[in-house]
Amino acid sequence: MSDATVPHALELQDISVTFRSTEEPGQRYTAVAGATLEVAAGEFVSVVGPTGCGKSTLLNVGAGLLQPSSGQVRVFGEPLAGINRRAGYMFQSDALMPWRSAIDNVMVGLQYRGVPDADARAQAQAWLERVGLGGFEDRYPHQLSGGMRKRTALAQTLALDPDIILMDEPFS
């Protein structure tokens, strides 16, 4: 297959996202207008810009968490309908469940995918060790520093072995 026929891992074609004001439904705010982004498999891309320019909005569109007002999203050449199941997403703030320990937070996605608990626990332990959190697996989010919570969220994302990793200021 030549490079011209290999589909991009993620394509955002002429994406626009407009929000309605909750206070005044007739008022609209355009967060992104006419954005196009093509990311090849194996490529590392950073979207840089000032606060409020639409970076998070584009990531949410690529993750399938937000439908664009116009434009097309493709994942490995296929139109995206709903959640992008080939992507892992690290949000700006960690999305750890406070009632679950670090290892239980890393395990949860694997459990939702049907991985048996013993295998999920072993994989979660291995990922916690890879991100430098061996020995902290039984700590709850409130017992971890901000950086440790971010690394737990990173292990949680990587444990699912996604084809695409979307990170919204994950280490800010």
Side-chain angles (χ1 to χ4, degrees):
M1 225 178 206
S2 71
D3 287 343
T5 60
V6 175
H8 289 94
L10 182 63
E11 290 180 69
L12 305 177
Q13 295 294 327
D14 200 25
I15 298 295
S16 293
V17 179
T18 302
F19 297 102
R20 289 185 184 191
S21 169
T22 54
E23 294 83 34
E24 297 182 47
Q27 294 277 39
R28 295 178 185 270
Y29 168 70
T30 300
V32 174
T36 295
L37 177 67
E38 296 175 340
V39 182
E43 191 171 28
F44 183 95
V45 174
S46 294
V47 178
V48 179
T51 298
C53 74
K55 301 179 300 289
S56 295
T57 299
L58 281 177
L59 287 173
N60 287 332
V61 167
L65 300 175
L66 178 63
Q67 289 292 319
S69 303
S70 64
Q72 293 185 347
V73 180
R74 293 188 170 289
V75 177
F76 291 97
E78 297 296 320
L80 179 61
I83 299 295
N84 184 347
R85 303 223 180 267
R86 296 188 72 175
Y89 195 176
M90 274 189 70
F91 297 95
Q92 280 184 18
S93 58
D94 64 64
L96 301 176
M97 292 175 262
W99 61 90
R100 294 182 71 121
S101 66
I103 197 163
D104 289 336
N105 267 288
V106 177
M107 286 174 60
V108 72
L110 296 166
Q111 290 170 317
Y112 286 147
R113 287 192 173 170
V115 175
D117 283 352
D119 293 341
R121 182 167 296 281
Q123 290 179 47
Q125 180 66 43
W127 276 108
L128 285 170
E129 289 173 11
R130 288 178 81 175
V131 299
L133 291 176
F136 293 92
E137 51 278 324
D138 293 328
R139 303 277 174 92
Y140 288 85
H142 74 276
Q143 297 172 313
L144 301 171
S145 70
M148 293 167 91
R149 287 192 304 272
K150 292 289 190 179
R151 286 185 281 149
T152 302
L154 178 62
Q156 185 181 52
T157 301
L158 296 175
L160 296 175
D161 194 26
D163 295 320
I164 299 168
I165 300 173
L166 303 170
M167 302 172 112
D168 191 355
E169 299 183 36
F171 305 113
S172 60

